[in-house]
Amino acid sequence: MFRATLKSLLARKLRLLLSGLAVVLGVMFVSGAFVLTDTLGRSFDAVFADAYADVDVNVAAKPKVAVSETEGEQVAAPVPASLVERVRAVPGAADVRGVVAADGARLIGSNGKVVTSFGPPQLGENWLGEGDLVKLREGRGPQADDEIVVNAALAKAANVKVGDRVGVLTLSPKQEFTLVGVFGYSGGRDSVGGANEVAFTTPVAQRLMLGKPDVFSTVTARADGTTPEALRDAVSRTVGGGYDVKTGDQLADDASAGLKEGLSFFNKILLGFAAVALLVGTFLILNTFSIIVAQRTRELALMRAIGASGRQVIGSVVLEAVAVGLIASVLGLAAGIGVGALLAYLFGKLAGGLTLAGLGVPPAAVIGAFAVGLLITVVAALLPALRAARIPPIAAMQDVATPDRPLTKVTVGGAVVTGIGAVLLFVGLSGNAGGNTLATILGGVLFAFIGVALLTPVISRPVVSLLGAIFSWSVPGKLGRLNSGRNPRRTAITAAALMVGIALVTGVTVILDSAKGSISALAEDTIKAELVISGASSGPRPASFDAAVLEKTAAIPGVRLVDGEYGDMATVGGKRTWVAASSNVAALERIFGAKATAGDISRLAPDQMLLSSDTATSRNLSVGSTVPVQLSRGEARTYTVSGIYSSSQLTNPVVLPPQAAADFAIPQPIQGFVQLAPGTSVGAVQPQVERLLADSPEVSVADRAAFIKQQTSQLDTPLRMIQILLALAIVIAVLGIINTLALSVLERTRELGLLRAIGLRRAQTMRMITVEAVVISIFGALLGVVVGTGLGAAVVRALKDEGITDLVLPWGQMVTFLVLAAIIGVVAAVLPAIRAARINVLGAIAHD
């Protein structure tokens, strides 16, 4: 039985290739995700170990407000300069230094634009001279207050050289400096971890990066005659509990762990797309083995007749599935290693030249590849195997056609599974899933897809017949329509593979388009400003501009009201909350349309604050309540609630007086709103504001429509990424259509020969196969559009309280998907149609 199975497998190499390719692509994603995160993780370990190689002990103040990676930039509290002497007095402490190092120093390049960095920090530092790690390549260190040095990576990116006058943006507005040196790192590296670094003299670095003199970011020391751990403990006892004292190894581990947490999220995204690819692949494999069993009915019956048991027949089909799974897993693992290496290389380039560690293949990649590849293939082949075991031996003695089985059980099962999916989606989207919201929603989507796939055979025959009527104006078209509807199960499974990919793309598009539409409508109705000053971020911090621009803008003829908005993450009454400060509190009513529900919201004293009604209710606060507030910088202050305003999606939960912005992480406005007097032309004012922003190349001024479009366009990037990744599922679906048609042509060899014998020409045969493929593809796309629209609309409805109030259906893209499906059908039909057209008529008639 084993030898017979092996010969059967080797005799059908094309079938082996097509059925295994879907698993290869899914396994590629799984193993590639693990290879990528392992390679990048070890790369970051090496980067931070190198960065802290000269540090045995580091002393830093505890941050005043803890900020996560997704919430913004963590601002470390500065330490006093006196701490340097206290650490220096500790026995065993050598080479004690006060270090200034903070993110936010943005160099303006020779083209007048800010050098951007998406990921690695843009550090502003004090120059501490050369060492084992840092080496000057050109020039010298800064000595005067208007001198800087930069690392070689930044000098290249900015296209600047020693002797140039360059602008730098920091906590202060643009300032001009002379570039007096360029430095690199041991081993010929231009940067460490892709960071852009600007080094000032110590007093200038303290003022521009920390906002005050005689403070440092951290104090570092080397251990002399003792271990780093012993020195750490001694320093900790000396400085007290108000500081974090760690060894260099601990700092490297902490920094690397933070980035690895972000990588784990990216890893989950890739694994999610791998799951989609494997789900689609399951349909393909299930269909392939179902057709194989149907084609081998007489062969399997003959085996039963000569003594093979039902268990041996099952073993024969499962063994074939194991062989396909093993080969696919090996190829998928190899492809995954290549994809992981390529993605790591691209990530390193985008991260500013990250030096990658050697490519490694973690055990998880190997185990995941073989476990997933084998499991998916064997599970998909199990039902056809059980069907094969039920073939009676008498079937070997007669001309057997596989009869259509009743669809009752499948329909009932599909209805039950779809119902379970609907319940899970309702629970997850209504917020009643506790801490398992994401898992519940994903489970609901999975059950919904499987349920719809099970229900598809019931509707495939009438829908396919209706779609096929479009092509029934010729004999090949009529035959193609009949062929596509003759086996509802096969058509349904083939179409379901395409349905999954298109449904996900459609659903995501509905959600994001609805979000864009809701944001646009809300902004149009709420923002009563004709001009908006804003900018694109060049890193983790938002773009900002000089507050003096606001005063100068207010003096422009025709300007009625100007408001500058500051923002920061703060601790308000013991809870972390986003807070804002407004340069003109009157804008809350006149620009954003907020209404006072209690107290006065038209003015704000230095010790007062305003709250949104939602915030006041949730915290049980009212006018006259006092609330302690800790900002990113400075000491905690107590504010009195002087007014409460109506909440909306565009109003901040807490508004502080403009004086508070001095202690924000970014003490400069990040947005500005300009309201014009009636009759004033936007075209007359906008150029004047643009000239005022000449020293702020990160920001620009736009009219309200352009500003809203700029904000909503940020959703286009994730949509494009999702569409590209989900294109893999559509590719697998195309393979499924090719596979189904190819095997169907083999199954209908004698039928095709008879059609040719009675006059069907080769071109007509090819058109018949093409019509069959196009009808199946459009059917799958139509299902995907309907299911995706339904799921997307459900999510939009659930997010109504989050501000997504308008359901926007992407009609243009839906039509595009249907047209694309027709093209997919034509492409998928090429090889099977050519093969059908080349059938030898006499040989096909005699085919058994």
Side-chain angles (χ1 to χ4, degrees):
M1 196 71 183
F2 175 79
R3 287 195 298 271
T5 302
L6 185 61
K7 287 184 177 180
S8 173
L9 188 64
L10 294 177
R12 300 174 175 87
K13 298 182 181 64
L14 179 62
R15 184 182 72 196
L16 174 67
L17 174 65
L18 291 175
S19 58
L21 193 54
V23 182
V24 169
L25 294 174
V27 170
M28 178 185 73
F29 253 132
V30 174
S31 55
F34 286 117
V35 169
L36 172 65
T37 51
D38 176 76
T39 302
L40 292 181
R42 288 183 293 105
S43 299
F44 286 126
D45 286 341
V47 165
F48 290 114
D50 204 358
Y52 295 109
D54 291 338
V55 177
D56 286 338
V57 172
N58 183 84
V59 184
K62 294 180 179 179
K64 295 182 180 295
V65 179
V67 178
S68 69
E69 291 286 337
T70 58
E71 292 174 331
E73 180 186 7
Q74 178 69 69
V75 178
V79 300
S82 60
L83 190 68
V84 175
E85 296 305 321
R86 292 176 63 189
V87 174
R88 188 172 285 138
V90 175
D95 193 22
V96 180
R97 298 180 173 189
V99 177
V100 176
D103 197 358
R106 292 97 69 206
L107 186 74
I108 300 173
S110 60
N111 59 358
K113 297 181 180 179
V114 172
V115 178
T116 58
S117 173
F118 298 96
Q122 297 175 291
L123 296 175
E125 309 166 333
N126 60 329
W127 176 250
L128 297 174
E130 296 183 273
D132 294 338
L133 181 63
V134 177
K135 302 290 182 183
L136 276 170
R137 295 185 183 176
E138 299 178 56
R140 56 174 176 82
Q143 298 172 356
D145 287 352
D146 66 340
E147 294 178 345
I148 60 170
V149 296
V150 301
N151 66 356
L154 180 55
K156 291 177 181 177
N159 192 27
V160 295
K161 59 184 183 301
V162 172
D164 288 351
R165 290 288 289 179
V166 296
V168 181
L169 304 174
T170 56
L171 292 179
S172 299
K174 174 185 172 183
Q175 296 191 23
E176 294 282 342
F177 295 88
T178 300
L179 181 62
V180 297
V182 175
F183 64 92
Y185 294 89
S186 58
R189 292 168 296 170
D190 292 341
S191 71
V192 172
N196 293 331
E197 297 174 75
V198 179
F200 311 87
T201 61
T202 295
V204 173
Q206 292 170 330
R207 175 170 55 85
L208 296 182
M209 302 310 303
L210 302 180
K212 59 177 65 176
D214 299 324
V215 292
F216 294 102
S217 302
T218 62
V219 175
T220 64
R222 298 295 299 270
D224 184 15
T226 185
T227 64
E229 290 75 17
L231 180 60
R232 175 198 60 195
D233 296 340
V235 170
S236 183
R237 288 191 297 269
T238 299
V239 301
Y243 296 94
D244 284 327
V245 184
K246 297 181 178 180
T247 65
D249 290 342
Q250 286 178 307
L251 287 175
D253 291 342
D254 290 347
S256 182
L259 285 172
K260 286 180 179 178
E261 184 177 352
L263 286 177
S264 67
F265 177 74
F266 185 62
N267 190 45
K268 291 175 183 177
I269 292 176
L270 290 178
L271 291 176
F273 285 108
V276 173
L278 290 169
L279 175 63
V280 176
T282 301
F283 288 115
L284 193 160
I285 297 167
L286 175 63
N287 215 19
T288 300
F289 278 93
S290 296
I291 297 173
I292 289 171
V293 169
Q295 290 178 351
R296 294 172 59 194
T297 298
R298 178 169 290 186
E299 174 188 331
L300 294 173
L302 185 60
M303 289 183 179
R304 292 293 309 279
I306 61 176
S309 65
R311 181 175 299 178
Q312 286 178 310
V313 172
I314 293 175
S316 171
V317 178
V318 171
L319 180 61
E320 186 170 344
V322 169
V324 171
L326 279 174
I327 295 172
S329 298
V330 171
L331 295 177
L333 176 61
I337 293 172
V339 169
L342 176 61
L343 291 176
Y345 171 78
L346 295 175
F347 187 95
K349 289 296 182 184
L350 292 174
L354 174 66
T355 302
L356 296 176
L359 183 66
V361 182
V366 179
I367 295 172
F370 284 95
V372 169
L374 280 173
L375 180 65
I376 291 296
T377 313
V378 171
V379 168
L382 198 55
L383 285 177
L386 294 174
R387 197 176 306 141
R390 299 191 184 104
I391 296 174
I394 195 66
M397 304 175 189
Q398 57 187 0
D399 189 13
V400 177
T402 304
D404 283 342
R405 289 171 291 134
L407 299 175
T408 306
K409 293 182 179 178
V410 174
T411 304
V412 173
V416 172
V417 174
T418 304
I420 294 173
V423 171
L424 289 175
L425 283 171
F426 175 78
V427 172
L429 295 173
S430 62
N432 296 319
N436 301 311
T437 300
L438 180 60
T440 303
I441 292 175
L442 292 177
V445 171
L446 179 61
F447 274 94
F449 278 137
I450 295 175
V452 172
L454 291 173
L455 290 173
T456 303
V458 180
I459 61 174
S460 65
R461 184 167 287 169
V463 175
V464 165
S465 179
L466 183 62
L467 292 173
I470 302 173
F471 306 96
S472 295
W473 48 269
S474 65
V475 171
K478 291 179 181 179
L479 292 174
R481 176 177 65 84
L482 294 172
N483 286 334
S484 59
R486 69 196 296 180
N487 193 323
R489 294 175 184 271
R490 183 180 304 174
T491 299
I493 295 174
T494 306
L498 186 59
M499 175 201 73
V500 172
I502 291 184
L504 289 174
V505 173
T506 303
V508 170
T509 304
V510 168
I511 295 168
L512 293 183
D513 280 3
S514 298
K516 290 168 63 176
S518 300
I519 294 171
S520 298
L522 181 63
E524 285 284 355
D525 293 340
T526 304
I527 299 176
K528 306 303 180 185
E530 286 75 18
L531 293 172
V532 181
I533 302 172
S534 65
S537 301
S538 59
R541 53 178 290 136
S544 60
F545 57 95
D546 188 356
V549 171
L550 300 172
E551 298 179 9
K552 296 176 182 178
T553 300
I556 297 175
V559 172
R560 180 181 181 184
L561 179 66
V562 176
D563 172 50
E565 291 288 320
Y566 305 75
D568 195 16
M569 184 63 69
T571 303
V572 180
K575 297 180 180 179
R576 290 188 310 113
T577 306
W578 178 261
V579 299
S582 174
S583 66
N584 192 336
V585 180
L588 197 60
E589 293 179 282
R590 294 167 60 181
I591 291 181
F592 297 107
K595 303 296 182 182
T597 60
D600 184 2
I601 66 171
S602 64
R603 59 180 63 87
L604 203 56
D607 61 347
Q608 294 178 334
M609 67 190 303
L610 303 177
L611 299 178
S612 70
S613 55
D614 288 347
T615 304
T617 301
S618 64
R619 301 195 177 200
N620 196 27
L621 298 173
S622 59
V623 172
S625 299
T626 57
V627 185
V629 177
Q630 175 62 67
L631 299 172
S632 294
R633 308 179 195 275
E635 300 303 320
R637 292 190 57 184
T638 299
Y639 291 88
T640 301
V641 178
S642 63
I644 298 173
Y645 52 89
S646 54
S647 300
S648 80
Q649 296 297 326
L650 292 183
T651 55
N652 291 291
V654 179
V655 176
L656 299 177
Q659 295 86 345
D663 287 333
F664 281 18
I666 303 173
Q668 295 176 338
I670 55 180
Q671 283 186 331
F673 297 88
V674 183
Q675 190 179 78
L676 303 182
T680 303
S681 168
V682 170
V685 177
Q686 185 171 350
Q688 298 181 66
V689 180
E690 288 175 348
R691 286 193 290 271
L692 295 177
L693 294 169
D695 287 340
S696 302
E698 289 181 302
V699 300
S700 61
V701 60
D703 60 43
R704 181 174 57 182
F707 168 73
I708 294 172
K709 184 177 181 180
Q710 178 189 32
Q711 298 301 305
T712 56
S713 65
Q714 296 177 13
L715 296 175
D716 292 337
T717 300
L719 177 60
R720 296 291 176 266
M721 292 178 61
I722 292 171
Q723 288 175 337
I724 290 171
L725 290 171
L726 287 176
L728 175 66
I730 296 175
V731 169
I732 296 175
V734 174
L735 294 176
I737 297 172
I738 295 174
N739 202 20
T740 299
L741 292 175
L743 294 174
S744 180
V745 167
L746 289 176
E747 187 180 40
R748 304 196 321 248
T749 299
R750 188 174 185 182
E751 174 188 318
L752 291 171
L754 290 171
L755 288 172
R756 291 291 312 284
I758 62 175
L760 194 68
R761 298 188 300 275
R762 287 188 175 183
Q764 290 178 312
T765 303
M766 295 178 69
R767 286 205 303 274
M768 178 184 70
I769 300 296
T770 302
V771 166
E772 184 177 350
V774 169
V775 169
I776 293 174
S777 296
I778 294 178
F779 175 53
L782 189 61
L783 275 178
V785 167
V786 172
V787 172
T789 301
L791 291 175
V795 173
V796 169
R797 175 65 183 84
L799 295 176
K800 185 176 181 179
D801 293 339
E802 303 300 323
I804 303 180
T805 55
D806 296 347
L807 176 63
V808 178
L809 299 181
W811 295 107
Q813 292 200 39
M814 292 181 187
V815 173
T816 301
F817 292 152
L818 295 177
V819 173
L820 179 63
I823 296 173
I824 286 173
V826 173
V827 172
V830 171
L831 292 178
I834 292 175
R835 183 165 187 171
R838 290 178 176 175
I839 287 178
N840 181 280
V841 177
L842 295 179
I845 294 174
H847 181 79
D848 190 4

